[in-house]
Amino acid sequence: MVTQMQDEKKFGGRMSKVFHRLFYHIVWATKYRQPKITEEIEKYLFPFLENKAKRFGCIIHKCNGIEDHIHIAISIPPSESVSDIIGKLKGSSSYFLNKELQITDDFYWSDGYGVLSFAERDLPAVMKYIERQKEHHRENTINIKMELTEGNDEERRC
């Protein structure tokens, strides 16, 4: 059985009077779908996103992607807006890569994103899907609903 202290540490480290278990799968793309996410950028981008999310009281359970988009399994507390968190993660990460690290000067995200909520029991399957992104795209075994970034179901797939 998980103690309250362990549980608080796992889900943001803050005392809260609200019980929550909120899980989201988020996907967003680079601007104009340019293949900007290189292996070098990945090694800085993914840890940055995880650390930044923690500062907002969120937990990134898994983050991965391919050259032109990323997938994130994340828990966001109910006191935070999903769209605000996504905007903060996108904005701060492009600023970090362009201005702070200066490993690029033209890394930008597209305006849209896709978000799906899912049950805690589905977390392992979602994490596995995200972990295997490169393989899914290489072998064309993607889950269309988990690849949508904006618009209706027929458009804006990654």
Side-chain angles (χ1 to χ4, degrees):
M1 177 171 219
V2 176
T3 68
Q4 183 176 355
M5 176 104 50
Q6 289 169 325
D7 210 34
E8 288 168 7
K9 185 176 180 183
K10 181 179 176 188
F11 286 92
R14 297 184 199 171
M15 288 291 285
S16 175
K17 295 185 180 186
V18 177
F19 174 80
H20 64 90
R21 290 296 182 269
L22 302 171
F23 298 89
Y24 302 95
H25 171 266
I26 302 170
V27 59
W28 67 74
T30 58
K31 190 156 188 121
Y32 306 122
R33 303 249 181 210
Q34 294 178 338
K36 295 284 187 175
I37 306 172
T38 62
E39 284 184 28
E40 180 183 10
I41 286 181
E42 274 186 3
K43 72 181 179 185
Y44 296 106
L45 175 62
F46 298 160
F48 174 84
L49 289 168
E50 290 174 12
N51 289 325
K52 186 59 91 169
K54 283 181 191 173
R55 291 188 202 162
F56 300 137
C58 304
I59 299 168
I60 290 183
H61 302 282
K62 185 56 104 176
C63 181
N64 199 4
I66 63 169
E67 298 83 9
D68 67 354
H69 72 277
I70 64 170
H71 292 254
I72 297 175
I74 188 171
S75 290
I76 300 173
S79 60
E80 298 292 338
S81 158
V82 174
S83 62
D84 285 348
I85 293 296
I86 293 169
K88 290 174 182 177
L89 291 174
K90 288 169 71 173
S92 62
S93 61
S94 60
Y95 183 87
F96 173 71
L97 294 170
N98 291 327
K99 304 292 185 193
E100 291 181 25
L101 274 186
Q102 297 180 352
I103 60 173
T104 181
D105 62 0
D106 63 348
F107 188 95
Y108 302 101
W109 297 111
S110 66
D111 291 335
Y113 61 88
V115 61
L116 297 170
S117 61
F118 61 91
E120 185 171 15
R121 71 177 174 269
D122 297 322
L123 181 59
V126 172
M127 289 173 59
K128 184 176 180 181
Y129 181 78
I130 291 171
E131 183 177 319
R132 298 179 62 208
Q133 269 301 290
K134 290 170 183 59
E135 181 180 327
H136 286 304
H137 283 272
R138 187 174 54 248
E139 297 175 4
N140 199 24
T141 58
I142 61 172
N143 178 330
I144 296 298
K145 294 284 186 194
M146 294 177 79
E147 298 290 332
L148 296 174
T149 58
E150 60 184 72
N152 62 37
D153 290 354
E154 297 304 315
E155 50 189 73
R156 308 289 190 210
R157 292 184 212 152
C158 288

